[in-house]
Amino acid sequence: MDFVFVSYLIAISVSFSVGVPTIVRSVRRQDTPLVLLGAAVTIDGFEWLVWTLASYSPAHGTPLGTAFSIACRLGIIASVLCLIAFTRIVFRRNSRAAAAFVLLLAGLLAVSFVASGALGDWEGVRNDHVWVWLEQFALMTCYGWTSLEAARQYARGKRRVQYGLGDPMVAHRLLLWSTYAGMFFLAEGVYVITLAFYGMLSHLDVLNALITVVAQGALGLAVFSPAWYARFICAPRSAHP
């Protein structure tokens, strides 16, 4: 079976299995940050689904396939907006600069979508106008910021664990979340290359699929950590001089 297609199926199944229960639980608890997180992951599953339909169903190459591609682009934007709203609330709650940063990125994404659409590029696949490049810059910034904030908190959590003041699994989940966002930062970078050099698209499909599998694996482990995995992470490590 096509590895790229399999990576899409993995992304769809992990995103929905993580995102939907997270939304249900967080709505009951009135936990706004987790609602945003669940929405980000669930919408990501939706955009993977419509992209799979656009690429691997009979709709490919038809107006319906084009509509699926546009829906995928909108899904990515919506997912990322939920993601950076979550990042701001959890990691930079009292920062006005972070709030302004989120608004700036949201504005860039909205303007880029509308402006490129006005040029006839609703799918965001042309490289002959500035708007698609601004959109990719904004997306990479969103994923990169999320990854860096989670990594920063992981470093702090790891130090607390070393002094017996923190939960090693909680700290590790921050590392996994940083990995998840970081992988999609890399995936956006790969997509930028495909935009710049259309001839390389087929050569980079497998790389992007591999990045996707790693990202979804990190997400799955962060939420559904098997008992053996949690024991391994929480096991005391021997000190070395």
Side-chain angles (χ1 to χ4, degrees):
M1 186 180 292
D2 185 345
F3 177 63
V4 175
F5 178 64
V6 171
S7 73
Y8 292 172
L9 296 182
I10 291 172
I12 294 167
S13 59
V14 173
S15 296
F16 282 133
S17 63
V18 170
V20 174
T22 299
I23 291 176
V24 172
R25 289 195 303 268
S26 54
V27 167
R28 289 173 179 170
R29 299 173 184 173
Q30 297 183 335
D31 188 332
T32 300
L34 279 183
V35 170
L36 289 168
L37 176 60
V41 175
T42 301
I43 296 170
D44 200 41
F46 166 78
E47 63 93 357
W48 279 111
L49 174 60
V50 293
W51 178 248
T52 302
L53 292 173
S55 303
Y56 285 94
S57 78
H60 179 67
T62 69
L64 179 58
T66 300
F68 283 146
S69 296
I70 296 171
C72 174
R73 186 184 181 194
L74 284 171
I76 293 172
I77 292 173
S79 173
V80 163
L81 290 179
C82 291
L83 181 66
I84 58 174
F86 164 81
T87 300
R88 184 254 163 174
I89 292 174
V90 171
F91 299 119
R92 298 284 182 177
R93 179 180 292 272
N94 299 318
S95 172
R96 293 183 179 180
F101 189 52
V102 168
L103 290 176
L104 174 63
L105 290 172
L108 277 176
L109 290 169
V111 169
S112 297
F113 178 80
V114 173
S116 60
L119 296 175
D121 185 23
W122 289 108
E123 294 177 272
V125 295
R126 284 169 35 192
N127 63 4
D128 60 345
H129 58 82
V130 68
W131 303 111
V132 71
W133 299 111
L134 284 177
E135 180 179 351
Q136 295 310 311
F137 169 77
L139 290 173
M140 291 184 72
T141 301
C142 292
Y143 287 123
W145 179 42
T146 297
S147 182
L148 288 174
E149 289 291 353
R152 183 175 65 89
Q153 291 300 322
Y154 164 70
R156 292 182 177 181
K158 186 178 180 181
R159 285 196 294 271
R160 288 194 291 269
V161 169
Q162 289 172 343
Y163 290 104
L165 301 174
D167 185 332
M169 198 61 207
V170 171
H172 187 70
R173 284 192 173 100
L174 287 166
L175 176 62
L176 291 170
W177 183 246
S178 177
T179 301
Y180 171 77
M183 286 298 102
F184 281 115
F185 171 83
L186 291 179
E188 285 299 325
V190 171
Y191 184 67
V192 166
I193 295 174
T194 67
L195 278 175
F197 305 101
Y198 281 116
M200 297 181 66
L201 181 61
S202 60
H203 300 291
L204 295 177
D205 273 353
V206 173
L207 174 59
N208 231 342
L210 181 61
I211 291 171
T212 298
V213 170
V214 173
Q216 298 300 330
L219 177 62
L221 284 174
V223 178
F224 302 120
S225 301
W228 64 265
Y229 185 77
R231 285 195 300 269
F232 172 75
I233 295 301
C234 297
R237 302 291 189 265
S238 58
H240 296 280

